[in-house]
Amino acid sequence: MIFNPDALRRIRRAKGLSQSALGARVGRSVAAVSRWESRVNAPDLSVIDSLATALGVDFMELTTRSSRQAVAA
């Protein structure tokens, strides 16, 4: 499983949340959310779970399976 920063950005925007608001919901800074979405850093699994809960989506919505990427390519 690989964290998908594009999914995080897309879902966050669809929910009408700013990076700051999402960060507040998961106890992280706006800078942390920005780094995740910019592919500078990736959150650990527990944070991905918190992000999914805060966004009201399944954990898998924020991840990509490498085998799924290979099939799509």
Side-chain angles (χ1 to χ4, degrees):
M1 251 181 294
I2 301 168
F3 172 69
N4 186 338
D6 297 328
L8 175 61
R9 180 182 298 109
R10 178 179 42 78
I11 295 167
R12 176 184 59 76
R13 287 179 175 169
K15 300 286 184 172
L17 293 171
S18 66
Q19 290 179 337
S20 178
L22 179 58
R25 286 187 180 193
V26 297
R28 304 291 184 192
S29 68
V30 63
V33 176
S34 177
R35 287 191 301 268
W36 300 331
E37 290 186 359
S38 300
R39 300 176 188 266
V40 173
N41 294 69
D44 61 35
L45 292 177
S46 65
V47 175
I48 296 172
D49 189 49
S50 295
L51 288 166
T53 299
L55 293 168
V57 299
D58 185 81
F59 177 89
M60 296 301 290
E61 295 286 326
L62 297 176
T63 62
T64 304
R65 290 185 181 203
S66 56
S67 61
R68 195 174 1 169
Q69 288 177 325
V71 171

